[in-house]
Amino acid sequence: IQSNTDDIHSDYDRGDGRMSVRTSDLRRRTFSAGARRESGGPYPGLPAQGAGADGYPLMAAHPGGAPANFLAAIARLGGRTALLSKVGADAFGTMLTGTLREVGVDTRGVVVAEDAFTTLAFVTLDARGERSFSFARKPGADTQLRFEELDLSLIEKTKAFHFGTLSLTDEPARGATQRAVAFAKERGKL
């Protein structure tokens, strides 16, 4: 399952001048970076949360992503959740899994890839506040998840199995997701 809580990340402007930049992995391992809007800033869509000495916008990390946010919200409401995913052996993967553990999401099903980075999804806003996504995922660890790496006991113990659609974009994650859905369905899971 997954989550949608502002405590992990908000990827839209809440009226306080913040926007987000996300990092993502598997069923969307994401990490977000917020930035303050500066009127007439030099980088449209990338408002700065201040700027470095060189004038480039600074961004802040906010771990999250659709599946992770969904799970975190359920966990915060007292539900038991677990994530099956793959992150890179990097700071973003460590930050994401640590954040999920802190909010009560079981991360035993998170595989760490030594050969791929945690996917990053940068979310920018246009003048109307509409989001635009740019992914650093060539390949991202999330796309490299194989069915053989899944902890199927987590699916066997669950009542409902939820997955993010980005896991269907590339192999081997697409095949792993499809097989996991079939596995869950054969066992009568929602």
Side-chain angles (χ1 to χ4, degrees):
I1 307 183
Q2 311 157 1
S3 107
N4 192 357
T5 174
D6 283 350
D7 291 341
I8 286 207
H9 174 66
S10 176
D11 60 3
Y12 56 92
D13 185 354
R14 296 175 297 202
D16 63 356
R18 295 194 44 97
M19 59 80 74
S20 54
V21 178
R22 289 191 170 233
T23 73
S24 158
D25 190 88
L26 174 65
R27 318 299 131 123
R28 297 265 334 170
R29 295 334 203 63
T30 55
F31 160 99
S32 312
R36 287 237 173 253
R37 285 192 180 183
E38 300 290 338
S39 303
Y43 306 100
L46 281 175
Q49 182 176 339
D54 56 8
Y56 289 109
L58 299 177
M59 300 190 187
H62 299 280
N69 291 347
F70 178 65
L71 291 173
I74 291 171
R76 286 185 182 268
L77 292 171
R80 290 178 35 213
T81 63
L83 181 65
L84 296 170
S85 187
K86 194 168 192 175
V87 299
D90 53 49
F92 300 118
T94 299
M95 184 184 309
L96 177 63
T97 54
T99 300
L100 290 170
R101 275 192 298 275
E102 286 175 18
V103 299
V105 175
D106 183 339
T107 60
R108 285 178 294 161
V110 176
V111 178
V112 178
E114 297 293 331
D115 59 348
F117 289 104
T118 301
T119 297
L120 305 181
F122 297 92
V123 181
T124 56
L125 301 174
D126 66 15
R128 296 181 319 263
E130 295 295 322
R131 297 177 301 169
S132 179
F133 297 83
S134 300
F135 296 96
R137 186 182 197 218
K138 297 181 181 178
D142 62 315
T143 67
Q144 302 306 299
L145 183 70
R146 297 184 322 275
F147 182 76
E148 298 74 29
E149 295 176 303
L150 297 177
D151 182 345
L152 298 176
S153 71
L154 294 172
I155 298 174
E156 288 174 340
K157 294 175 189 174
T158 193
K159 293 178 184 175
F161 179 71
H162 177 75
F163 63 92
T165 57
L166 283 179
S167 65
L168 299 172
T169 60
D170 293 289
E171 290 294 348
R174 177 187 309 123
T177 301
Q178 292 168 335
R179 288 180 65 189
V181 169
F183 183 87
K185 188 174 180 180
E186 289 167 1
R187 285 152 183 78
K189 309 302 179 179
L190 293 176

